[in-house]
Amino acid sequence: MSAVLETDDVSESAVPGLRTIKVGLLGLGQVGQAVARIAPEAARLKHAGLRFRITGALVRDVNKVRRCQKPRVTSNPSAFLRGNYDVVIEALSNVEPAHGIVRRLLGRGVPVVTANKALVATHGLELAALAIRRGTTLRYEASALAGVPFLGAFAARPLVSDVHRLTAVVNGTSNFILSKLEREQCTFDAALEDARRLGLTEPDATRDVSGQDSADKLTLLAAIFGWGTVPAFRISTQSIHGLSARDFAIARSLTSTIKPLVFAKRTAAGISAFVGPAVLPQEHPLASLVGALSGIHLSGSFISDLFFSGPGAGPDITAATLLDDAVEALCTHTARPGRAVVPTPHVATIASAPTTGWLVRTTFPGVVPQAATVEQLFSTHHLTTTHVSDAIDNQRWVRLAPLTSEALDFALNRIAATHRIQTFAIRALQE
Amino acid sequence: MSAVLETDDVSESAVPGLRTIKVGLLGLGQVGQAVARIAPEAARLKHAGLRFRITGALVRDVNKVRRCQKPRVTSNPSAFLRGNYDVVIEALSNVEPAHGIVRRLLGRGVPVVTANKALVATHGLELAALAIRRGTTLRYEASALAGVPFLGAFAARPLVSDVHRLTAVVNGTSNFILSKLEREQCTFDAALEDARRLGLTEPDATRDVSGQDSADKLTLLAAIFGWGTVPAFRISTQSIHGLSARDFAIARSLTSTIKPLVFAKRTAAGISAFVGPAVLPQEHPLASLVGALSGIHLSGSFISDLFFSGPGAGPDITAATLLDDAVEALCTHTARPGRAVVPTPHVATIASAPTTGWLVRTTFPGVVPQAATVEQLFSTHHLTTTHVSDAIDNQRWVRLAPLTSEALDFALNRIAATHRIQTFAIRALQE
């Protein structure tokens, strides 16, 4: 059986009942190699009547050694595009050259499935519209919460996708780092190094840690929910860098935890959103997600309290989702009207970031003042304190009632200038 | 605009860009009425390019007063079947007459969407195969976790649906009752009465409370995961009736709670499953689901720790899901090969129910013995005790190490016969 599978020119009829699928693979990095390993093996695909064969792959370096049986590879996009594919799996990580190649493929009617969130966030609406015009399919289930199949349903179902509020952990790497800080009381850099060693980060982890990756995913989700184009650079984004094990200990004493959050709501004034670390009560469904798990909590006009979670990162998981997308692309066909699937592109109105509570790590230059004194100091600067922690060394943590980040920054800058008190503020959600 | 929507013979071209969808409605109970209310109103459906018109409904009693604009109704199935529908929404609650009518409709190529779990559990595979043969669609997203769109993805995606273990709360009504017992310390009957008053139960709540409804949903899930036919009557099923507020207080003291559970795993020996109340640690994702929420936790060959939750019951939620199913049925076509969608029908091997821990409520006829004495008594009957609770009146709760229900029943019967000690055993899961 395996010999038959590897022969080059087996016609469809040679393996009765199995339809041979010619797959083009864009990229042979971690994810691409996992696709090349799983695709010819998975019994479930054969059970679905399909036999996947990688007939060509586009790579940067044709000579690199790879942990999979190497398909015919080329580093020349034009040579790759001369191939004949039933479906193309896109596992590159940047917008270019992916965008140009995917556009060519869809324009030619070839279905494409992708895990590239930067591509989908930037050009998703344009590419999806192109796919519909050419009677083909673009699927991108692996581009957010890689292991959790939910985007497809939201893209195709108009009532449930009428979402007006989302709270999510969409960057598994950041969640892994913060979970490690919380559990092992290690330093931020040690946690990051561990994530890198386990292959959870890209070579450059900046996009994960800074929140850029999460902001890209919010752009993508906003498009699916029909909110319009929410440019990632317009979203208030705070890095998780700078969090310490002590912040988690304080959060725990408030029966809370800190998660790398994406929050967005659609109001009459526009989209109000932020990306960054946030204190969450322990009973919040996202609070229980530890390690590299990701999750999303949604409320909308028809259905509220929806929650989806699962593995958010990892080459094998992403590869499995890409292959499932390929099956869906091959086995289902979207007919017009496709407006359920392609929300009208329009630029969303961006409102100011939401007013939330805050947890402020406060570092004093000398002797730590009494809690009441701290409360009074903050009150002088129009900050309403709801809790002041015990002192640890020269630090206290101050919980503040909801206010805008502008008002907070203004007050904290004045406190710093007047009293040489350093602060580090983390948002805090009540529900 | 509303006048136009109600005119009878508007052709598709009369409202530019909107395709008029002729909907047949089977049943005008709570769910049917909600469909009739939402369908003509929802702006999201128009945005998807669709204008829904209920052109006929089958009801038991044509004269009954209903909380919706009444469509043309008939109580005669043949008269209903003479109608011309783009899609039929099935909102009856029993297997018959739904089965015969749905078979006729699919046989004629009319897409059907259903919320009827009894129908899908009993005839789902046969009807799905018929739909494929006739080039049409059967969708049943509302038949389990009514408000959570996840079944569609599992039916269409072979790798993620390679599930070998599931733990779920699939009956929102039971979860509502147990949550109320836990929070308000009321009696079981008071909690049940409250669920009834809120319209969460059917007129006869027996199917909810007994676990039959959950067992039907397990049958349905097993089919989607390719486990074959798991007849509901073959599943070890325990009613939630008999649980008391005290059981929850004891569970809480063990940092656990009790949930109306469905558990199943696929092993080399066959499908091992149970339906019934079970003690779960508080950090389990299902433990946080309160009220009428439902949820499912899945692990499989390619992706583990998947979790989906959301509203599991309620007419408006079910109606929204049925309408989303109708949009998917109208906008997508499943092409061959359809084996990803229609698992081969085969009868599954049923293995014995899983070996689990237990929490045994133990009622003594006279003076309550010391904890050590209770432990010794249980040990005499080959039961390994891991914890004995403090006494409350004449009761103690005994936590037992994993064993089969047969071994447990044998021992508890002997204890009852010899010592006149009454027991009530609840399963306890470790993870």
Side-chain angles (χ1 to χ4, degrees):
Chain A
M1 192 66 183
S2 149
V4 174
L5 285 173
E6 277 148 30
T7 309
D8 230 331
D9 290 300
V10 174
S11 70
E12 200 174 323
S13 58
V15 181
L18 285 191
R19 175 178 159 206
T20 299
I21 302 301
K22 294 190 285 296
V23 179
L25 191 51
L26 290 167
L28 262 181
Q30 298 281 341
V31 172
Q33 290 175 54
V35 169
R37 273 198 311 275
I38 297 172
E41 296 299 326
R44 278 269 164 161
L45 297 176
K46 290 177 197 153
H47 186 73
L50 305 172
R51 212 192 71 175
F52 279 75
R53 280 189 50 230
I54 317 281
T55 55
L58 179 70
V59 298
R60 224 175 321 205
D61 176 359
V62 295
N63 297 315
K64 198 166 154 190
V65 176
R66 293 181 166 89
R67 289 179 47 234
C68 64
Q69 204 177 352
K70 205 156 88 176
R72 209 173 300 162
V73 297
T74 173
S75 61
N76 178 346
S78 303
F80 177 84
L81 282 164
R82 279 195 292 275
N84 176 19
Y85 311 110
D86 296 311
V87 63
V88 169
I89 296 180
E90 195 267 296
L92 301 165
S93 48
N94 297 317
V95 174
E96 295 298 349
H99 178 220
I101 299 170
V102 169
R103 204 165 50 186
R104 292 276 296 276
L105 290 163
L106 292 174
R108 211 198 273 169
V110 179
V112 174
V113 304
T114 177
N116 187 333
K117 50 240 157 194
L119 173 67
V120 180
T122 322
H123 299 290
L125 291 176
E126 164 218 329
L127 293 172
L130 172 61
I132 294 269
R133 280 203 307 279
R134 300 301 167 131
T136 189
T137 311
L138 171 74
R139 298 194 72 98
Y140 42 82
E141 191 64 71
S143 61
L145 276 70
V148 188
F150 79 109
L151 288 180
F154 280 81
R157 302 175 70 86
L159 297 191
V160 77
S161 69
D162 191 0
V163 164
H164 49 61
R165 183 190 166 101
L166 74 90
T167 319
V169 171
V170 294
N171 185 278
T173 310
S174 296
N175 197 28
F176 175 88
I177 293 170
L178 296 194
S179 297
K180 212 171 158 67
L181 266 187
E182 177 165 33
R183 289 180 162 187
E184 301 179 16
Q185 312 264 305
C186 60
T187 65
F188 189 92
D189 290 339
L192 173 59
E193 191 44 46
D194 218 48
R196 196 172 274 143
R197 212 178 47 238
L198 291 169
L200 288 171
T201 63
E202 300 293 316
D204 171 15
T206 313
R207 290 189 63 80
D208 293 317
V209 168
S210 66
Q212 277 177 280
D213 175 80
S214 295
D216 274 349
K217 287 170 181 164
L218 176 53
T219 298
L220 187 163
L221 292 165
I224 288 173
F225 299 149
W227 294 1
T229 304
V230 176
F233 72 87
R234 295 283 311 276
I235 301 164
S236 161
T237 301
Q238 187 186 356
S239 168
I240 57 165
H241 207 292
L243 285 174
S244 73
R246 279 190 185 171
D247 299 325
F248 286 91
I250 297 294
R252 178 176 296 257
S253 75
L254 299 167
T255 60
S256 298
T257 185
I258 304 170
K259 287 292 168 194
L261 224 64
V262 170
F263 173 91
K265 62 182 174 181
R266 185 190 207 184
T267 68
I271 310 299
S272 176
F274 73 85
V275 168
V279 178
L280 276 184
Q282 263 162 18
E283 63 269 23
H284 193 286
L286 292 168
S288 64
L289 298 178
V290 293
L293 289 177
S294 297
I296 185 165
H297 183 266
L298 299 167
S299 285
S301 304
F302 293 94
I303 294 166
S304 61
D305 265 325
L306 273 174
F307 184 65
F308 302 84
S309 70
D316 284 9
I317 283 155
T318 306
T321 298
L322 284 166
L323 287 165
D324 272 344
D325 260 4
V327 174
E328 279 213 69
L330 292 161
C331 294
T332 62
H333 174 71
T334 303
R336 289 181 168 277
R339 270 187 277 172
V341 183
V342 187
T344 329
H346 65 277
V347 178
T349 307
I350 311 294
S352 47
T355 300
T356 61
W358 299 85
L359 181 66
V360 182
R361 187 207 304 150
T362 310
T363 308
F364 300 94
V367 177
V368 178
Q370 296 296 312
T373 313
V374 174
E375 191 172 337
Q376 201 173 12
L377 168 69
F378 274 67
S379 161
T380 314
H381 292 86
H382 308 292
L383 299 176
T384 308
T385 299
T386 60
H387 177 85
V388 179
S389 80
D390 291 342
I392 307 180
D393 296 339
N394 60 337
Q395 298 183 316
R396 285 189 189 271
W397 282 255
V398 182
R399 185 84 164 72
L400 297 179
L403 83 164
T404 65
S405 64
E406 292 79 8
L408 179 74
D409 287 349
F410 181 80
L412 294 183
N413 284 335
R414 303 237 339 214
I415 290 175
T418 322
H419 307 275
R420 293 192 301 125
I421 294 171
Q422 287 185 311
T423 55
F424 180 85
I426 309 162
R427 286 183 182 273
L429 298 190
Q430 290 293 19
E431 29 144 23
Chain B
M1 194 63 187
S2 147
V4 175
L5 285 173
E6 278 147 31
T7 309
D8 230 331
D9 290 299
V10 174
S11 71
E12 201 173 323
S13 58
V15 181
L18 286 192
R19 174 177 159 207
T20 298
I21 303 301
K22 293 190 286 295
V23 179
L25 192 51
L26 290 167
L28 262 182
Q30 298 281 340
V31 172
Q33 290 174 54
V35 169
R37 272 198 312 276
I38 297 172
E41 297 299 327
R44 278 270 165 160
L45 297 176
K46 290 175 197 154
H47 186 72
L50 305 172
R51 214 192 68 177
F52 280 75
R53 281 191 48 231
I54 317 282
T55 55
L58 179 70
V59 297
R60 225 178 318 209
D61 175 359
V62 294
N63 296 314
K64 199 165 151 191
V65 176
R66 292 179 167 91
R67 287 177 48 234
C68 64
Q69 205 176 352
K70 205 156 91 176
R72 213 174 295 162
V73 297
T74 174
S75 60
N76 178 346
S78 303
F80 177 84
L81 283 164
R82 277 195 294 275
N84 177 19
Y85 311 111
D86 296 311
V87 63
V88 168
I89 296 179
E90 197 267 295
L92 301 165
S93 48
N94 297 315
V95 174
E96 295 297 347
H99 179 218
I101 299 170
V102 169
R103 203 165 50 187
R104 291 276 295 278
L105 290 163
L106 293 174
R108 212 197 271 170
V110 179
V112 174
V113 305
T114 176
N116 187 333
K117 51 235 156 198
L119 173 68
V120 180
T122 323
H123 299 290
L125 291 176
E126 164 217 329
L127 293 172
L130 172 61
I132 295 270
R133 280 203 307 280
R134 299 303 167 130
T136 188
T137 312
L138 172 73
R139 298 195 74 98
Y140 41 82
E141 191 63 73
S143 61
L145 277 70
V148 187
F150 79 111
L151 289 180
F154 281 81
R157 302 175 71 88
L159 298 190
V160 76
S161 69
D162 191 1
V163 164
H164 49 62
R165 182 191 168 100
L166 74 91
T167 319
V169 171
V170 293
N171 185 276
T173 310
S174 296
N175 197 27
F176 174 89
I177 293 169
L178 295 194
S179 297
K180 212 171 158 67
L181 265 186
E182 177 165 34
R183 288 180 163 187
E184 302 180 15
Q185 311 268 305
C186 59
T187 65
F188 188 92
D189 290 340
L192 173 58
E193 191 45 46
D194 218 48
R196 196 172 272 143
R197 211 177 49 236
L198 291 169
L200 287 171
T201 64
E202 301 291 316
D204 172 15
T206 313
R207 290 189 63 81
D208 293 317
V209 168
S210 67
Q212 276 177 280
D213 175 81
S214 295
D216 274 349
K217 287 169 181 165
L218 176 52
T219 299
L220 186 163
L221 292 165
I224 288 172
F225 299 148
W227 293 2
T229 303
V230 176
F233 72 89
R234 296 281 312 276
I235 301 164
S236 162
T237 301
Q238 188 187 357
S239 168
I240 57 165
H241 207 290
L243 285 174
S244 72
R246 277 188 186 170
D247 298 325
F248 285 90
I250 297 295
R252 177 176 296 257
S253 74
L254 299 167
T255 60
S256 298
T257 185
I258 304 170
K259 287 292 169 194
L261 224 64
V262 170
F263 174 91
K265 62 182 174 182
R266 185 190 206 182
T267 69
I271 310 300
S272 176
F274 74 83
V275 168
V279 178
L280 277 185
Q282 264 162 17
E283 63 269 22
H284 193 286
L286 291 168
S288 65
L289 297 178
V290 293
L293 289 176
S294 296
I296 186 165
H297 183 266
L298 300 166
S299 286
S301 303
F302 293 93
I303 293 166
S304 61
D305 265 326
L306 272 176
F307 183 65
F308 302 85
S309 70
D316 284 10
I317 283 155
T318 307
T321 297
L322 284 166
L323 288 165
D324 272 345
D325 260 4
V327 173
E328 279 213 70
L330 292 160
C331 294
T332 62
H333 290 295
T334 303
R336 288 178 168 281
R339 270 187 277 172
V341 185
V342 188
T344 329
H346 65 277
V347 177
T349 307
I350 311 293
S352 48
T355 299
T356 61
W358 300 84
L359 180 66
V360 182
R361 187 207 304 149
T362 310
T363 309
F364 300 94
V367 176
V368 180
Q370 295 295 313
T373 314
V374 174
E375 192 172 336
Q376 201 172 13
L377 168 69
F378 274 65
S379 162
T380 314
H381 293 86
H382 309 290
L383 299 175
T384 307
T385 299
T386 60
H387 177 85
V388 179
S389 80
D390 291 342
I392 306 180
D393 295 339
N394 60 336
Q395 299 183 317
R396 285 189 189 272
W397 281 255
V398 181
R399 186 82 164 73
L400 296 178
L403 83 163
T404 66
S405 64
E406 293 77 9
L408 179 75
D409 287 348
F410 182 80
L412 294 183
N413 284 335
R414 304 241 332 219
I415 291 175
T418 322
H419 306 276
R420 295 191 301 123
I421 292 170
Q422 288 184 310
T423 55
F424 178 86
I426 309 162
R427 286 184 182 272
L429 298 190
Q430 290 294 18
E431 28 145 26

